[in-house]
Structure formats: structure tokens, C-alpha cells
Amino acid sequence: MDLFATALPALADAWALILQPLVLGYLVLGVVMGLAVGVFPGLGGIAGLSLLLPFMFGMEPVLGLALMIGMVAVVPTSDTFSSVLMGIPGSSASQATVLDGFPLARKGQAARALSAAFTASLFGGLVGAVFLTLFIVVARPLVLAFGLPEMLMISILGLSMVAVLAGRVALKGLAAAGLGMLIGTIGVADAGGSLRMASYDFPYLTDGLQLVIVGLGIFAVPEIVSLLRQDRSIAKDAALGAGWMDGVRDWFANKWLSVRCSLIGVVVGVIPGLGGSVVDWIAYGHAVQTTKDKSQFGKGEIRGVIGPESSNNAKEGGGLVPTLLFGIPGSGSMAIFIGAIALLGSGDIEVGPAMLRDNLDITYSIVWLLALANVVGTLLCIGVSGGIAKLTTIRFTYLAPFLFMLIAFAAFQSGQNFEDILALFAIGLIGIFLRRFDWSRPAFLIGFVLSNPVEKFSNQAFQIASFRFRKSFEDGMDYIFSPIVIALLIITVVSVVLGLRQAKTIMAEGDVQSGSKRAPIVFLMVIMAYVLAALINANAIPDYNMTDKIVPLVIGGITLAALLILLVQMILRPEGDTIFADKESSGEDADAPYGLWGTLAWFAGLIAATYFVGFILALAGFLVIFLRVRAQAPWPKTLILTACGLALMCVMAGALNRDFPPGLLQHAVDLPWPLH
């Protein structure tokens, strides 16, 4: 009964927080923004939340949460548009939907596929929220028993999930996660204050890289560049057809499939790192196995839409379990969600056991915001689907400059330094090559996010354990190997074994064809050079600051070992092996009419112009030249679109009280806003 004595008042407080008109307004705003992001293939929740991060500083906690949850909840629903209408997975969580959703759209049954998908998404989202509520009530006493060894073990469990996300070549996934962790250790070390891969001569890196920049660089930049190179509209035809009610009836006829797939989504979501890229395939497999007539799958079977869509919204509820209870990201978007919560209010809300102890009302308000956002998101998706279908027929060349504009502005807001935009470009390059050579980008991001918790918990646990061992050996062993730690150790080992088996079937970057040996080996050597430099740098830290050097040395050593084994395999294996996966050898990237470097030069030009004349003047020139030269738009269209882009930037900056990146011109001359 004590459980409910604590939970019920917290639930009541949560509803009181949520049902304020302003909070509901922010929730709807988040849903609208999530809808806008989810429609563009490849952007997804990570890029969307990264765009929101700079605006979370000091925001009222419940308002910031409403904005973020609105976005997180609706992305798995809105990315259905690109899967069904364009045949392009909107994100890794909607890959399976393409298999039957797109053939249905080709048959003129897009409306039926979308309404079945939205109904399944709504149901799955509500199942996830109910599960999360019950789980928090039951699990709270257990979570509050977690100490430092347990938290360290949970962090390692989160890292072990990289095995699942590793892709067809497990060593690439391990190396990508190691690279992410090493990049996460850049800057001043928390424990002893040593500098790692940074110098006071170049102060920007001493604070480390911001999550916003890494999230946008690894996920948004590669997808925008890829679509821009292909220079076509996302979809050729915007016809939805009739049959909205047919889709709802289809869902009702398959409601038990939806229930089972929602439960699959919740369970998979709870396991850190599994998240979106696997859950829809498990649900799709279940839909195939439980259907008597399997002949229509892949040709337009509605059950192939209902199953994955039920599971990928339910997994958001499941994914919040490790995120809220332990501070371990269940997925890439949850990784950014954790970073954003730390920025809210006065910065005193900490995800993990402390949140359940001190902020139970806020924990429950997150749960019910998630449920409300699913309802609002589904209604909005149905309402705007006609307009969105038309949006997909616009040439991407008209959309790309505005996306570059938004991500450059968001990156600058993370630290208000010009170097933020340079860092975005550099991390974007890493993201492009990880994507090209089929290295796991989610593994890289999870490594980056968990590098700090792993280092913090291991250092603190080591200090307390050494004190306990000085008392007695038994006391030390009891501290390190508590029953919870042993249970987590077993789960970690099992997850790695099962994950490596599953990984070969999960292709986060799609079925990438193999190419020649040269380019993949050159990329491997570049990564190896960085890892070696990081190892030499960490080894140079004096021994009295051992806590600052041990984690980079261990991670760097493991990563280097994985890279050396990969190098040997690459030398021994013939061309055409899966280890030489290269998107430039065949497929959309290889057939694109525009090259990679020419496309990147546009973004580099915007950055270079910003350095000299400031962001807003550079942006005006960039939009005019890009729309005239690359998009070949007539002058009236060019000027109208440029004016709209500049107006949007000024409204955003004014509403959020933010400045634009200044250039040399602004340092020399005192210009009026927004030119200063």
C-alpha cells in the first residue's frame, strides 16, 4: 500500500501540472514541430530534439518537457508519411512499414495504409504510457536501492547494446562506439582537470563537444546531403486515394495483432540501445508468422503496416523506462532527451534514481504528456495528410538550403561560438563517411553519450571500493558484487550474445552494396590515426592523475584492437565482401547527378561567408545564389523564398532572445539588429 500512498498524490500533481493551458500549448507546438521533422526522411527524433536543445536552457521544466515529449511522441507517427508515400524509411523505426505501406500507396490505397498506421500508432503509444505508469509504481523501490557499482553496470549494459546496433560487421559497430566514446572524452576531465585532445591555445575544445552538434552532425547532415545530391522531389505523386475509414476498420479487425505488437514494442523499448532499429522488424516478423496467407506480404498486406506501427510507438513508452529510472538512453533520441533535461529550470533535475525520489510528479507528467502527445499527434497527422502528401512532391533542392540554415543556427545556439558551426561541419563529415561505409551511427552516438557516465561511475566506484577493500576483502567484494550487479552482468552477457546474432539481420543503413577495397581501407586508416593520437595524448597525462587517463586508455586500446582486426580482415578478404560496404559503389548515392564534395561546398561556403560578414548577411547571399544557381529558380521565386527564410530566422531569434553568429564585419562595424 505504501507504493500507492506515494504514487497517487504524485499522479494527481502530474495532472495538475499538465492540464494548464500554456503546457498544453507547448505540447501542441512540440507535436507540430515533430510532424515537420518526421516528414523529412532520415531526420527523425535525434535531429528534431537536437534542434530544440539550445532553447532548453533555463526553460520552465514542465514547459520544456511538453515541447520535447510532443516532438518525441509524434516522430514515429509522422515518419510513416515518407515510408508509405515515398518508399523511403522516415527513420530507422519505420523501415518495415515500407515493405507493405509503399505497395499499398502504389495501388492507390495510401489513405487506407496511413489511417491503419495512425490508428495502430495511437493505440501503441497509449499502451506504452500505461505500461510506464505501472512500471514506475512497481520499480521505484528497486531503483532507489541502486548505488555506484549498479549504475556503472547499467551504463555498461547500455554500451553492450551496441552489439545489436553493430550491423553486419560487429567489429565496425564496436569501433564506431569506441570512436564515439573517445570523442566524448575530449576536453577537461571531470575528476582531475587534465586536458584530453584539447589545448588552451584553442579554448573551444576544452569544454568538449556539445550533444546538439554531434546529434545533428551524425544524423541530419548526411541525410540532407544525400537527398540534395539526388536532386529530385521526395515523391513523384501526391494522390492519397480514398479509404480513411477502411484503415480504421482494418485495425479493428487486427486489434489483437496490434496488442501483441504493442507489448513487443514496450519490452524491446525497455532494453537500452535496442530501440527503433530492431523493434519494427521483430513486430513485422511476428505479423508474418501469425498470418495464415503469407503470400501478400511485401505486395501490400495491411497487417504488415499495423504490426510495426503498433510497436514503434509503444517502444517510446518502454524506452523512457531506462531513461527515467537509470539515466541510460534507450535510443539515440533518448540520449539527447537526457542531455536536455539537465538544462531545464535551474539545472537541478537529474534523470535516474534521484528523479524518482525527488521529482516523482515530474516523472509522471512525462508519462502522461507522452499519452496526450500521441492523441494530438494522431489527430494532426490525419488532418494534415493531404497537405503533407503535396509537400513531398516539392524538389528537395528547394528545401535543403532552409534545412542547412536551421541546423547551422541550432548548432551556434549550443555554445554561441562560431566554432560550433565548424564543429558541426567536421562531425557532419564523420557522419557522411560512417553512413557511406556502413558503420553504425546509432552505436557512435550511444558511445558518445555514455562516455561521461561510464567515466564518472567507474572513478567513483573505484574510490569507494578501494576504501572498502582496505577494511576487509569480504567488505569490498560485497560492495562490488551485489545481487543487482550480478544480475546485470548476466543480462549484459546474454544481450551481447543475442545482439551479435541479431545484428546481421538489422541493416540500419539499408542493404549497402560492396565496392572496392581502397576507399573503406583509407577511411579505416584515418580513424586508426585519430585513435592512436588519442591514446598517445591520454598516456602523456601524469600518473598522479590516473583517474583522468585510465578510461581513454582502456577505450582507446579496445577500439584500436578492433580496428587492427578489421584491417587484417580487409587485407585478407576479396573485393565484394560485406566488409567493403560502400554506398558510392551502387544505389542512389552512386547514381546521384551531383557529387559529394560539390554539394558540401555549398554548406562550407555558408560557413566561410559567416566568418567574414556574419550569419544573417551570409545567409541572404547563400539563399539567393543557391536558389538561382543550384535550384535554377526564377528571380521572383528566389527573392520571395529568401525573404521568407530570413524572416523565419529573425522571428525565431527574436522570440527566443538569441543572437546570430557574428563575423569579422560585425567586430569592425557596429551594425543594427539583426545584422550585428
Side-chain angles (χ1 to χ4, degrees):
M1 285 310 293
D2 286 349
L3 289 177
F4 291 100
T6 326
L8 290 175
L11 271 170
D13 291 346
W15 277 111
L17 278 173
I18 291 169
L19 295 176
Q20 301 171 52
L22 189 59
V23 175
L24 293 174
Y26 269 79
L27 181 74
V28 172
L29 179 62
V31 167
V32 171
M33 292 167 79
L35 200 117
V37 167
V39 167
F40 294 111
L43 289 188
I46 297 173
L49 280 176
S50 300
L51 285 169
L52 284 183
L53 262 185
F55 314 123
M56 292 293 137
F57 289 101
M59 191 184 270
E60 181 68 31
V62 75
L63 296 180
L65 287 169
L67 198 58
M68 288 192 294
I69 293 284
M71 177 171 273
V72 167
V74 81
V75 166
T77 312
S78 62
D79 63 17
T80 309
F81 281 115
S82 56
S83 302
V84 172
L85 297 174
M86 315 166 199
I88 304 171
S91 69
S92 61
S94 61
Q95 289 172 345
T97 311
V98 174
L99 297 184
D100 286 294
F102 191 49
L104 279 165
R106 278 182 161 156
K107 291 178 184 175
Q109 297 178 17
R112 178 190 172 202
L114 286 173
S115 63
F118 295 151
T119 312
S121 291
L122 171 60
F123 179 76
L126 294 176
V127 168
V130 170
F131 170 82
L132 187 54
T133 307
L134 297 173
F135 195 90
I136 288 171
V137 171
V138 175
R140 189 168 178 259
L142 173 70
V143 175
L144 294 179
F146 273 50
L148 286 169
E150 288 83 1
M151 291 307 291
L152 174 61
M153 214 45 238
I154 279 278
S155 300
I156 292 168
L157 173 64
L159 274 176
S160 75
M161 292 306 160
V162 163
V164 182
L165 299 169
R168 292 179 295 179
V169 183
L171 283 170
K172 281 187 179 180
L174 177 65
L179 181 66
M181 288 187 83
L182 282 175
I183 287 176
T185 61
I186 289 174
V188 177
D190 285 346
S194 307
L195 279 180
R196 297 182 299 208
M197 293 305 283
S199 156
Y200 287 120
D201 297 331
F202 188 65
Y204 176 73
L205 285 177
T206 54
D207 290 336
L209 288 169
Q210 299 297 318
L211 183 57
V212 188
I213 291 166
V214 175
L216 285 172
I218 290 293
F219 283 91
V221 172
E223 300 303 336
I224 295 169
V225 167
S226 170
L227 282 166
L228 182 54
R229 285 179 59 195
Q230 290 158 34
D231 195 24
R232 57 181 172 82
S233 57
I234 298 170
K236 294 175 181 67
D237 182 24
L240 282 176
W244 282 104
M245 284 315 296
D246 290 349
V248 177
R249 281 193 286 271
D250 284 325
W251 175 82
F252 196 75
N254 294 293
K255 55 187 177 293
W256 294 112
L257 172 71
S258 190
V259 169
R260 293 193 302 273
C261 289
S262 297
L263 293 174
I264 289 171
V266 164
V267 172
V268 173
V270 167
I271 303 168
L274 272 179
S277 50
V278 57
V279 68
D280 59 328
W281 289 117
I282 297 173
Y284 188 80
H286 176 74
V288 174
Q289 287 159 3
T290 54
T291 305
K292 284 178 184 167
D293 177 17
K294 299 178 172 58
S295 64
Q296 289 306 303
F297 279 97
K299 299 173 188 170
E301 168 63 66
I302 200 74
R303 284 170 69 89
V305 174
I306 291 169
E309 287 299 315
S310 300
S311 67
N312 72 22
N313 264 52
K315 75 125 188 350
E316 295 300 332
L320 279 166
V321 170
T323 306
L324 295 179
L325 273 57
F326 306 116
I328 296 301
S331 63
S333 53
M334 288 296 140
I336 291 176
F337 186 68
I338 289 172
I341 286 180
L343 306 176
L344 294 170
S346 52
D348 54 357
I349 300 176
E350 190 179 336
V351 180
M355 192 167 183
L356 294 190
R357 188 178 61 243
D358 307 329
N359 301 103
L360 195 57
D361 54 341
I362 287 189
T363 310
Y364 276 122
S365 61
I366 290 174
V367 179
W368 288 106
L369 280 167
L370 184 69
L372 272 177
N374 271 295
V375 177
V376 174
T378 304
L379 294 174
L380 255 176
C381 280
I382 291 171
V384 301
S385 49
I388 284 180
K390 289 187 179 68
L391 180 70
T392 61
T393 60
I394 299 172
R395 270 176 68 207
F396 195 77
T397 318
Y398 283 119
L399 300 171
F402 299 103
L403 291 173
F404 277 139
M405 167 183 91
L406 285 170
I407 62 172
F409 180 65
F412 175 73
Q413 300 315 321
S414 66
Q416 299 272 316
N417 290 308
F418 173 72
E419 288 89 344
D420 291 327
I421 308 177
L422 285 178
L424 173 70
F425 188 80
I427 298 287
L429 265 181
I430 295 173
I432 285 167
F433 287 111
L434 290 176
R435 177 182 178 276
R436 174 179 167 179
F437 297 117
D438 197 24
W439 293 56
S440 172
R441 288 182 291 162
F444 177 95
L445 188 68
I446 286 175
F448 178 81
V449 170
L450 287 178
S451 64
N452 193 36
V454 165
E455 183 164 29
K456 185 174 74 176
F457 293 135
S458 57
N459 282 337
Q460 291 173 350
F462 173 76
Q463 286 166 354
I464 296 171
S466 56
F467 172 72
R468 293 283 185 92
F469 274 116
R470 277 201 287 273
K471 269 188 176 174
S472 74
F473 183 75
E474 287 79 15
D475 199 15
M477 291 302 284
D478 286 347
Y479 177 70
I480 294 173
F481 291 108
S482 68
I484 299 176
V485 168
I486 292 167
L488 289 170
L489 195 60
I490 293 166
I491 294 168
T492 303
V493 172
V494 170
S495 77
V496 169
V497 173
L498 293 178
L500 290 172
R501 282 186 183 173
Q502 281 280 313
K504 290 181 174 52
T505 58
I506 301 160
M507 300 185 203
E509 304 293 357
D511 188 8
V512 183
Q513 298 300 310
S514 299
S516 67
K517 281 190 173 191
R518 187 172 158 223
I521 289 179
V522 169
F523 180 60
L524 180 84
M525 300 295 279
V526 170
I527 294 177
M528 201 181 278
Y530 176 80
V531 172
L532 262 174
L535 274 169
I536 293 164
N537 179 270
N539 196 47
I541 296 170
D543 285 347
Y544 58 77
N545 260 350
M546 185 57 77
T547 48
D548 289 353
K549 67 191 284 186
I550 192 75
V551 170
L553 284 175
V554 170
I555 295 165
I558 293 169
T559 309
L560 188 61
L563 291 169
L564 285 168
I565 297 168
L566 262 175
L567 182 62
V568 171
Q569 287 181 347
M570 283 184 172
I571 292 167
L572 296 177
R573 290 188 188 178
E575 285 194 357
D577 191 274
T578 50
I579 204 167
F580 300 113
D582 185 352
K583 278 186 185 285
E584 296 289 335
S585 62
S586 67
E588 288 182 332
D589 284 15
D591 301 336
Y594 291 94
L596 170 65
W597 298 110
T599 306
L600 271 177
W602 286 102
F603 193 29
L606 173 62
I607 296 168
T610 301
Y611 178 73
F612 290 107
V613 298
F615 184 68
I616 208 78
L617 286 171
L619 182 63
F622 169 74
L623 289 174
V624 168
I625 297 168
F626 187 96
L627 291 167
R628 280 293 295 159
V629 176
R630 179 67 188 269
Q632 295 183 334
W635 272 112
K637 196 173 195 176
T638 298
L639 295 174
I640 290 167
L641 287 173
T642 301
C644 290
L646 295 173
L648 174 66
M649 279 288 92
C650 292
V651 167
M652 276 178 70
L656 298 161
N657 198 19
R658 293 280 192 264
D659 285 326
F660 295 114
L664 295 178
L665 177 67
Q666 282 76 6
H667 293 306
V669 184
D670 193 16
L671 295 169
W673 193 90
L675 302 176
H676 71 73

